[in-house]
Amino acid sequence: DNLTALHRLHKHRSEAVRMRQVAIDVFHFHLASQANMYAALSWTVANLLTQSGRHLEGVMTEMAEAASTFGPEYRSSMEALDSMLRLEAVIQESLRLAQQSITLRKVLRPVEMEYEGGTLQLPPGMYIATLLSVTNQCNRHVPNHPPLSEFVPERYAPSSKKSGGLVLDPDIYPEATRVHL
C-alpha cells in the first residue's frame, strides 16, 4: 500500500525524521486530492444548476427516494449512496467533460521553466502545482454519439456500479464499450 511504500522510501532516515517525512508526504497527497475533489464537486453542482432542469429534478427525486428508503442517515450510508445512480451519472459526466487534475510536484533538481515573461529558476525542494487535462472526449475511446461535447449523463448504464468501471449505456451505444476514467 502507499503508506508502506512511503516508509520504505524513507527507510534510510532515522525513525523520527522518517515519521515526519511520511506525515509530510501524506499531507501533500491529501492536499492534492482535495483540490481534485473540490473541482469535481464544483463541476457537478454547476452542471446540475445550468444544464437541463430534468437532471436536477431527477437527482432531487432520487435523493428523496434514498431518504425515504434509508432514513435520515442516508447521506452517510454506502448502500444509500450506491442506490443514487442518477447522481453518479451526473458526477461521472461532469468529470468526463471538465475535470482537470491538479498535481503537486516537488522539484528534485534545479529546473529552468520558460514562460512568456522570461525564465524561472526552480530550486530543489520547491513545490509547484501542475494542471493536467484528464477529460475524456476522445472518440477513439467513447463513440461520438451523442456528441462528446454535450452533457449527457444518460450515456452511462445503471449497472456501472457493479462493473469495476463505467459502462456506456447499451441503449445509446449498442457495443457497450467499457470506459475507465
Side-chain angles (χ1 to χ4, degrees):
D1 75 343
N2 289 335
L3 196 53
T4 301
L6 286 174
H7 277 277
R8 265 190 253 131
L9 179 68
H10 301 295
K11 69 182 178 187
H12 64 283
R13 300 171 187 240
S14 70
E15 183 174 354
V17 172
R18 182 178 68 247
M19 297 300 249
R20 178 174 164 72
Q21 189 59 53
V22 167
I24 289 170
D25 290 349
V26 168
F27 177 73
H28 289 142
F29 289 140
H30 181 69
L31 283 177
S33 67
Q34 276 189 322
N36 288 330
M37 179 192 65
Y38 290 137
L41 287 172
S42 297
W43 282 114
T44 300
V45 169
N47 283 323
L48 281 171
L49 295 176
T50 62
Q51 298 294 330
S52 167
R54 68 186 172 82
H55 299 302
L56 179 58
E57 183 178 313
V59 167
M60 296 301 290
T61 299
E62 187 174 65
M63 290 177 72
E65 290 168 359
S68 173
T69 302
F70 298 98
E73 301 299 316
Y74 76 97
R75 288 186 185 109
S76 59
S77 161
M78 286 308 296
E79 189 178 5
L81 294 172
D82 285 345
S83 75
M84 293 187 235
L85 298 177
R86 263 189 220 105
L87 176 59
E88 181 181 4
V90 169
I91 291 169
Q92 296 296 354
E93 184 69 347
S94 296
L95 291 172
R96 185 190 68 76
L97 279 171
Q99 178 67 0
Q100 302 290 310
S101 177
I102 300 168
T103 305
L104 286 178
R105 297 176 182 262
K106 185 176 184 179
V107 176
L108 300 176
R109 61 181 187 278
V111 174
E112 288 187 357
M113 188 172 89
E114 294 183 20
Y115 70 107
E116 291 174 2
T119 302
L120 293 174
Q121 305 293 324
L122 305 176
M126 174 180 264
Y127 284 89
I128 60 172
T130 59
L131 185 64
L132 306 172
S133 174
V134 292
T135 58
N136 191 355
Q137 296 187 40
C138 176
N139 62 6
R140 285 184 322 202
H141 306 293
V142 181
N144 194 29
H145 175 76
L148 292 174
S149 60
E150 293 179 12
F151 184 77
V152 183
E154 296 81 6
R155 70 178 85 238
Y156 300 106
S159 63
S160 65
K161 274 294 202 193
K162 300 174 187 126
S163 70
L166 297 176
V167 177
L168 295 174
D169 189 332
D171 291 335
I172 296 175
Y173 305 108
E175 63 276 12
T177 306
R178 181 178 294 232
V179 178
H180 294 279
L181 298 177

